[in-house]
Amino acid sequence: MSSSLTVLGACPLDCPDGCSWTVTVRDGEAVALRGNRDHPYTRGALCVKVNRYLEQARAADRVLHPMRRTGPKGSGRFERIGWDEALAEISTRLTAIVTEHGGEAIWPYQGTGSLGFLQGTDAALPARFWNALGASRHDMNICSRAGNDGLRYTNGTPGGMDPETFALSRLILLWGTNTLTSGHHMWKFVQDARAAGAYVVAIDPVRTRTADQADEHLPIRPGTDAALALGLLHVVLDEGAEDRDYIERHTHGWDEFEAEIRKYPVERVAEITGLPADRIRTLGVRLAHTRPTGIRATMGIQRHEGGGTAMRTIACIPGVTGDWRYPGGGVAYSTSGHVPLRPDRRPDLLPHPVRTLTMTRLADGLDDSVKCLWVYAANPLGSTSDQNRIRAALEREDLFTVVMEQFPTDTVDYADIVLPATMQIEHLDVHAGYGHMYLMWNEPAVEPPGECLSTTETFRRLARHMGLTEPSLYDTDMELAEQVLASGGIAIEEIRKRGWVRLDVADPFVPFTEGFPTPSGRLEFVSERAEAAGLPRVAGYVPSLTARTAPADREFPLTMITPASHTFLNTTFGNNPELLKRSKGPRVLVNEADATPRGLADGQAARVFNGSGEFTAYVEISDRVRPGVVAAPKGHWPKLSAGANPNAAIDERDADMGRGAVYHDTMVEVAPL
């Protein structure tokens, strides 16, 4: 008779919800996957993407064995080799590079394909390995850095509201976030709030499925969110509704910030944002008189040249209204600032200080000084801007490229050596969602297929091949889990038995009751740290490139944004046949006012282009985007999309803070094919 067991785990993907899941295993095979019903945030549900995770793990195109390139770079032609042969060749090449050029000639390019503390973005063991070699430091700034930095200037931390407390909000602003696509578990708490009478507003350049469900949608011009925040606060002041007691006791720099607010009357803000003045005023009055107000703003809002300032200024709103006093009041961007875990990456292993190479500047950074690019949990040729320049850099014959992967992505096609990587049901890990207040345990449910190895085991074996003697490079996965959990005072027995633990915070959680982790100990409308960094002293408005460029000055007249797809997570699942079918292919949403003069028809293939590059997409004529704005959802693999995706047209430019990415700040033209 067959036997079955249930194994507790967690979704590894780059999503705020960080779901707890259960895997049903029968005769050594994972036969069912579902959300953990006992987890207070997951509540038994997974998303449309992750519901196909087991199917993805069994996919016919899974990379199962080490491979060596046999054709030209980019051809995707490989031969199967054994692990010993692969590691011997890598060891020889890395040793030669370190000897001849120094360790800094190695770029360990890690992405957010997994957010784990053992196998993913926060993993200690790979960092120890690279430190022992003296490799360049990889600055993983692509996702949320500009917004994180902006929040730090205002609040001292990116951490804010517990999203569960939105159930207690009476006004909810979903600002630059498509909750029902990118973190749908929060919607349950929005529904609870609405049942108690809350009003929900979606502020988004696109009328998303979330905007469809909101009480009101404000189709803001991309890159002008900070101006809207100032305009709303101007109405709060006009109403005399600022919380003077909170301002005096808990904030810093009010007089200067009040003067900045006064520069943004509703009429000016309407001109900047493209929103009707009466709707701005009406929302401002609602904000002035509704406590608590909860603001959910996620990563899309900060992916433009003024993105850090946008989050900095939006974070000032509850400092004026006093919403941080209440459960259900404040701003929720990321809960990562509340997570107490500190993986020991052993920076003391570095033989000397090393340079930092920036993730968002891969095309610029891959110059002749880089002799080895090691890619893991990343697909830069599909996910990173300036796609054509990256492709050209990857074609260098003197660049030794190793890719650890689960599937034959576009990036894999340029590898010299490909190493087969495990998926989440096949290895041990510890996770923390950045949209809730829980830590999760991921127990391996099944044996890896073929010759797939976990990230930790790959680096342990490579360290052994290279003759490295540092003991911490050989810590087992269980030892690594114990170390990282101990750094936060978490007992491994409890989390392993239950599958999750709540962070050691109150429930309901109200942050900053003991002050803000800023130099002043207060919410800072004015930041001397920002001023010292060459940024505006006072929170305000920094327009995006597209927002500040007048139509008459544009060579390419349309503003392109690249929102998250409902069927892919970045490029993860971009090869899944069913999800590809549901995506309806690469699309570009165009307003009828822009489509008609260009001769664009619904369903027609079109070129989306500018001076940097172009891609092909099917036109969807829609009033979901405002005139002058087009939306091309991200996630399609270039090799499955006529050779390019929207990143071919997006430049390597920096946001105002943290050198963040600018995926929503591009000028293009669209023409029929």
Side-chain angles (χ1 to χ4, degrees):
M1 293 182 61
S2 63
S3 61
S4 66
L5 70 155
T6 299
V7 181
L8 295 169
C11 179
L13 300 178
D14 186 6
C15 166
D17 287 8
C19 289
S20 176
W21 70 29
T22 61
V23 184
T24 302
V25 179
R26 185 172 299 120
D27 297 331
E29 181 183 358
V31 296
L33 177 73
R34 66 172 301 148
N36 186 347
R37 293 176 175 176
D38 297 329
H39 191 277
Y41 202 77
T42 303
R43 294 188 183 181
L46 298 175
C47 68
V48 67
K49 301 173 276 285
V50 175
N51 276 331
R52 309 198 81 85
Y53 196 85
L54 295 187
E55 172 189 303
Q56 189 78 348
R58 295 189 292 264
D61 59 345
R62 180 87 185 263
V63 175
L64 298 175
H65 307 282
M67 298 186 295
R68 178 194 291 122
R69 178 171 61 90
T70 58
K73 290 198 172 189
S75 67
R77 297 209 302 266
F78 298 95
E79 64 178 354
R80 176 178 169 180
I81 58 176
W83 267 104
D84 284 341
E85 188 175 357
L87 293 176
E89 182 170 338
I90 292 170
S91 178
T92 298
R93 293 290 296 272
L94 290 184
T95 300
I97 288 169
V98 171
T99 300
E100 185 174 350
H101 304 283
E104 289 174 281
I106 302 169
W107 187 344
Y109 193 95
Q110 182 181 13
T112 58
S114 168
L115 302 186
F117 281 92
L118 272 64
Q119 315 295 347
T121 53
D122 293 303
L125 196 142
R128 296 173 187 175
F129 176 85
W130 298 123
N131 286 340
L133 293 189
S136 292
R137 190 181 303 277
H138 175 62
D139 183 15
M140 203 182 309
N141 70 329
I142 203 165
C143 183
S144 56
R145 178 67 59 76
N148 283 344
D149 286 2
L151 284 160
R152 286 190 181 98
Y153 286 127
T154 299
N155 294 337
T157 173
M161 292 175 64
D162 176 355
E164 291 183 52
T165 64
F166 276 96
L168 305 173
S169 304
R170 291 300 167 261
L171 173 62
I172 297 175
L173 304 184
L174 300 174
W175 204 326
T177 184
N178 184 6
T179 304
L180 288 173
T181 284
S182 301
H184 72 90
H185 292 82
M186 202 195 92
W187 194 252
K188 296 185 291 288
F189 304 102
V190 174
Q191 289 177 310
D192 290 344
R194 292 178 93 171
Y199 190 81
V200 180
V201 181
I203 303 170
D204 198 304
V206 181
R207 196 177 79 245
T208 62
R209 62 183 63 217
T210 302
D212 284 340
Q213 297 300 317
D215 296 299
E216 184 177 357
H217 171 225
L218 294 181
I220 191 170
R221 182 175 290 139
T224 64
D225 303 276
L228 178 59
L230 293 165
L232 294 174
L233 288 175
H234 197 287
V235 177
V236 171
L237 296 185
D238 288 346
E239 293 287 302
E242 68 273 23
D243 189 332
R244 286 283 176 176
D245 176 69
Y246 191 87
I247 290 168
E248 291 172 9
R249 294 174 57 197
H250 300 291
T251 73
H252 170 69
W254 169 245
D255 290 344
E256 291 178 70
F257 187 54
E258 181 181 13
E260 189 69 19
I261 294 170
R262 294 294 185 188
K263 298 175 184 176
Y264 290 86
V266 167
E267 292 73 17
R268 182 187 177 196
V269 172
E271 183 178 340
I272 293 170
T273 62
L275 298 171
D278 61 333
R279 296 191 66 190
I280 297 171
R281 187 174 292 107
T282 298
L283 180 57
V285 171
R286 192 182 293 275
L287 172 65
H289 299 293
T290 308
R291 306 275 76 75
T293 289
I295 302 172
R296 175 64 160 169
T298 52
M299 288 65 203
I301 204 170
Q302 45 94 62
R303 288 179 178 153
H304 61 80
E305 286 192 7
T309 297
M311 277 311 309
R312 179 186 177 190
T313 302
I314 289 169
C316 292
I317 292 174
V320 178
T321 59
D323 275 298
W324 283 125
R325 295 180 185 273
Y326 314 107
V331 176
Y333 177 72
S334 170
T335 57
S336 58
H338 301 307
V339 175
L341 305 188
R342 299 293 180 266
D344 185 6
R345 298 184 176 92
R346 296 294 306 276
D348 58 297
L349 297 178
L350 284 166
H352 50 72
V354 297
R355 66 178 177 174
T356 296
L357 296 172
T358 303
M359 189 174 192
T360 52
R361 289 289 188 156
L362 180 59
D364 283 345
L366 269 182
D367 58 23
D368 290 343
S369 70
V370 178
K371 303 300 181 183
C372 173
L373 180 71
W374 188 293
V375 180
Y376 55 122
N379 180 19
L381 198 48
S383 296
T384 306
S385 53
D386 239 328
Q387 191 172 92
N388 294 328
R389 292 177 59 219
I390 292 172
R391 191 186 303 275
L394 291 175
E395 289 174 348
R396 278 175 42 204
E397 283 297 331
D398 67 328
L399 178 68
F400 180 54
T401 302
V402 179
V403 180
M404 299 166 62
E405 248 299 349
Q406 300 157 352
F407 296 99
T409 65
D410 291 83
T411 306
V412 162
D413 288 347
Y414 288 82
D416 294 291
I417 299 288
V418 181
L419 301 177
T422 48
M423 293 180 68
Q424 187 75 347
I425 58 174
E426 301 151 8
H427 57 229
L428 181 68
D429 217 335
V430 174
H431 285 264
Y434 60 89
H436 59 60
M437 307 296 286
Y438 301 91
L439 302 176
M440 281 82 61
W441 178 267
N442 185 78
E443 189 79 15
V446 295
E447 291 296 318
E451 296 181 276
C452 295
L453 293 181
S454 67
T455 299
T456 47
E457 182 59 19
T458 297
F459 281 103
R460 281 191 288 261
R461 292 192 186 188
L462 181 56
R464 190 169 293 110
H465 265 266
M466 296 188 70
L468 301 179
T469 58
E470 165 55 42
S472 68
L473 299 179
Y474 302 99
D475 286 349
T476 67
D477 285 0
M478 193 61 71
E479 288 170 335
L480 292 165
E482 290 172 342
Q483 292 163 15
V484 73
L485 289 168
S487 73
I490 308 296
I492 194 169
E493 296 80 13
E494 178 186 1
I495 189 173
R496 190 178 187 189
K497 179 179 179 180
R498 193 181 191 187
W500 55 273
V501 295
R502 182 171 169 85
L503 300 181
D504 187 18
V505 296
D507 188 8
F509 175 57
V510 179
F512 313 127
T513 56
E514 304 298 322
F516 292 79
T518 59
S520 66
R522 296 164 171 252
L523 183 149
E524 296 195 347
F525 302 126
V526 167
S527 172
E528 286 76 16
R529 290 177 300 146
E531 185 177 29
L535 297 166
R537 169 181 169 83
V538 185
Y541 168 52
V542 173
S544 66
L545 173 66
T546 56
R548 69 173 184 265
T549 306
D553 297 330
R554 291 181 173 219
E555 180 180 2
F556 304 100
L558 301 172
T559 295
M560 181 179 74
I561 61 175
T562 57
S565 165
H566 195 69
T567 53
F568 311 137
L569 205 161
N570 301 323
T571 61
T572 301
F573 301 109
N575 61 326
N576 183 281
E578 177 60 27
L579 294 176
L580 271 169
K581 179 181 176 182
R582 294 187 189 184
S583 77
K584 301 178 182 178
R587 294 176 298 132
V588 58
L589 277 67
V590 185
N591 190 278
E592 187 174 9
D594 297 315
T596 300
R598 290 169 171 80
L600 298 170
D602 200 57
Q604 178 182 28
R607 293 172 60 224
V608 184
F609 64 95
N610 57 23
S612 297
E614 65 178 74
F615 63 99
T616 300
Y618 296 101
V619 173
E620 181 178 325
I621 298 176
S622 174
D623 62 358
R624 290 188 175 276
V625 290
R626 56 181 298 134
V629 176
V630 298
K634 65 181 179 179
H636 283 277
W637 289 16
K639 67 196 290 184
L640 303 180
S641 310
N645 68 17
N647 288 319
I650 299 173
D651 292 333
E652 278 191 347
R653 290 183 284 112
D654 295 339
D656 54 341
M657 298 179 192
R659 306 193 75 183
V662 292
Y663 290 114
H664 303 324
D665 197 8
T666 298
M667 293 179 277
V668 300
E669 182 56 282
V670 182
L673 281 175

